[in-house]
Amino acid sequence: MARQRTDAEQQIADLLHTARKSLHMSVAFLSRLDGTTQHLEVVDTRVPVLVQEKAKVAQDTSFCQAILDGKLPAVIDDVKRYPLAMSLPSARLPRIRSYVSTPVTLSDGSLYGTFCAFGFTSDKELTGRDEALMKVLASAASVIIEPEIREQQRRDDIDARLDPLVAAGGPSVVLQPIVDLDTGVRVGAEALSRFPREWGKGPDVVFEEAHSVGRGHEVELLALRGAAAHLDRVGGYVAMNVSPQTLLTPGFAALLADLPLDRILLELSEHDPVEDYDALTTALMPFRAAGMRLAIDDVGAGFSSLRHIVVTNPDVIKMDRSIVSGLHADPVLSKLVESLVNFGHGCGVKVVAEGIETAEEAARLRDLGVDLGQGWFFGRPGPPEALSPVAPAVPAPRPAERQPV
């Protein structure tokens, strides 16, 4: 069964067919050169038995390399006139006797490979006009293939960064204190992933990139393991972030199975889409029944958080820093925060404010009834030993029959 071509490959095949027919030749192909091997990426041929798509040829024995090196002309009407050409394997099998080749270059000037056509008989009619046609078609081919090449390069770059990180056990994990706004005493901490500074990328970007190459679950689970490793080193609860997609994986369930669930607050970002709320609720049910609490993160940054809250019935909502910053001097933000507090408390939900940077913000949030806060005002993310002790534990069982909103 023939291999199914991609849309881009079919477009290239159409260009090759045009070249082959216009030059009255038997085979046309687009090749990729990697320095040692010539890869026949797309082939249009009358004789598939002799020349097959995805075949490989030693680059230094190819007509294309000899032409690129200037040892043979770009248009060869009769291979027998050139001793070097006749010495190459392709002059014997598949017995090439006429050849036209032009380089395929990308927008940055780098060489991708060659756009070629050949025949099994000499052709005195081949001229520079035929080379010009091949150059036009090769230019069109480069426009078609470049997006896929750049995408593959992007994926390769991401994999190259992630490989050593994964081998080393995942991102480093720091903790930021979460305090009771009434008392100022720490009650928990949020685990935050940190990636190598030289990457110049924030955690959100790194996780998004990892998911884009199919490695998001792998990196997220390593980050969660790093967060879980801190549970024995700090008091209070530890808030851990997870995407809805990773939450549904067997690896996530296996990780939680061995953890003290009553000390875990699982945070779902309002930015992350949920494709199947029923599956999400079902996956969370046994863990929440065993004491794990659920938070909806980044509330107020968009619209999806309200649906998250309605459907998942969380224990905590965390207000996004965008509605916290400067609220002490902004009556509109204050009113929004007050509404969220009333909404949350009316549902039996704790309200946490993120991104608190000043005493004025903390005081205003406390006056508005926000329960807990975190931000640079209370402490920057750091190692477990930098955290202050937590308040003595006071049993406060979760309401058993809280009704969904």
Side-chain angles (χ1 to χ4, degrees):
M1 183 176 178
R3 186 183 67 88
Q4 185 70 34
R5 285 173 171 158
T6 66
D7 289 342
E9 288 173 335
Q10 188 55 54
Q11 293 178 62
I12 297 295
D14 293 340
L15 294 175
L16 292 169
H17 187 73
T18 297
R20 185 173 68 80
K21 287 293 189 180
S22 299
L23 274 59
H24 306 290
M25 288 188 162
S26 300
V27 178
F29 65 86
L30 171 74
S31 78
R32 175 173 59 86
L33 303 176
D34 66 10
T36 60
T37 304
Q38 180 180 34
H39 305 260
L40 305 189
E41 297 289 4
V42 185
V43 175
D44 182 75
T45 177
R46 291 192 297 106
V47 284
V49 174
L50 290 178
V51 183
Q52 296 184 352
E53 201 157 280
K54 301 305 179 184
K56 299 177 183 180
V57 178
Q59 189 170 318
D60 59 2
T61 68
S62 69
F63 273 71
C64 291
Q65 187 61 53
I67 292 171
L68 288 171
D69 292 340
K71 297 176 181 178
L72 291 174
V75 178
I76 305 175
D77 58 359
D78 187 353
V79 169
K80 289 185 292 184
R81 292 172 49 211
Y82 299 91
L84 173 61
M86 289 299 293
S87 71
L88 298 175
S90 294
R92 298 184 294 275
L93 187 69
R95 198 177 178 276
I96 293 174
R97 287 297 176 263
S98 55
Y99 206 94
V100 182
S101 177
T102 190
V104 176
T105 56
L106 304 178
S107 59
D108 61 1
S110 60
L111 177 69
Y112 171 80
T114 56
F115 197 91
C116 309
F118 64 82
F120 300 122
T121 60
S122 59
D123 184 355
K124 300 300 183 182
E125 302 297 320
L126 288 176
T127 67
R129 292 179 60 185
D130 298 309
E131 182 186 3
L133 171 64
M134 293 292 280
K135 286 182 179 295
V136 170
L137 296 174
S139 178
S142 70
V143 172
I144 294 169
I145 64 177
E146 182 149 4
E148 288 191 359
I149 294 168
R150 298 307 180 204
E151 171 61 15
Q152 188 58 53
Q153 289 174 342
R154 185 192 73 86
R155 297 177 70 89
D156 290 344
D157 288 344
I158 293 171
D159 279 329
R161 289 197 303 271
L162 293 181
D163 284 343
L165 177 88
V166 168
S172 60
V173 177
V174 293
L175 298 174
Q176 184 172 38
I178 300 173
V179 306
D180 184 305
L181 289 180
D182 280 334
T183 65
V185 175
R186 186 177 73 84
V187 295
E190 180 176 4
L192 301 168
S193 295
R194 292 294 181 262
F195 295 91
R197 187 185 301 273
E198 59 269 22
W199 289 9
K201 298 175 183 290
D204 289 349
V205 174
V206 175
F207 284 118
E208 182 179 354
E209 288 183 339
H211 276 289
S212 76
V213 298
R215 302 184 67 178
H217 301 326
E218 178 183 26
V219 179
E220 279 199 56
L221 288 173
L222 287 173
L224 287 168
R225 290 187 186 281
H230 290 322
L231 284 167
D232 291 337
R233 304 173 62 188
V234 299
Y237 71 84
V238 173
M240 306 178 185
N241 294 272
V242 66
S243 68
Q245 305 96 311
T246 298
L247 188 153
L248 296 175
T249 64
F252 174 79
L255 173 64
L256 287 195
D258 297 325
L259 298 182
L261 296 178
D262 59 335
R263 293 188 56 214
I264 294 175
L265 175 66
L266 194 68
E267 295 190 9
L268 292 180
S269 172
E270 86 100 44
H271 298 296
D272 295 322
V274 175
E275 297 178 358
D276 188 338
Y277 278 103
D278 288 339
L280 183 74
T281 302
T282 300
L284 286 171
M285 190 178 301
F287 303 114
R288 298 185 73 180
M292 186 188 76
R293 294 183 300 149
L294 178 69
I296 301 302
D297 199 8
D298 306 317
V299 172
F303 300 104
S304 61
S305 56
L306 293 180
R307 177 151 177 77
H308 279 6
I309 294 170
V310 168
V311 177
T312 63
N313 191 25
D315 304 279
V316 174
I317 59 174
K318 300 189 71 175
M319 294 189 300
D320 187 75
R321 67 186 62 195
S322 64
I323 63 173
V324 170
S325 179
L327 92 159
H328 63 286
D330 189 327
V332 174
L333 287 180
S334 289
K335 193 65 178 177
L336 176 57
V337 169
E338 183 181 16
S339 298
L340 286 173
V341 170
N342 290 335
F343 173 74
H345 288 174
C347 301
V349 171
K350 289 279 190 179
V351 180
V352 182
E354 295 186 284
I356 303 172
E357 297 187 357
T358 68
E360 291 81 6
E361 291 170 353
R364 184 61 179 145
L365 289 163
R366 183 178 62 250
D367 292 342
L368 291 172
V370 176
D371 301 295
L372 308 174
Q374 69 181 96
W376 287 4
F377 177 67
F378 300 109
R380 299 199 176 203
E385 51 269 20
L387 293 175
S388 61
V390 299
V394 177
R398 180 184 173 206
E401 297 298 331
R402 192 176 71 216
Q403 296 300 312
V405 180

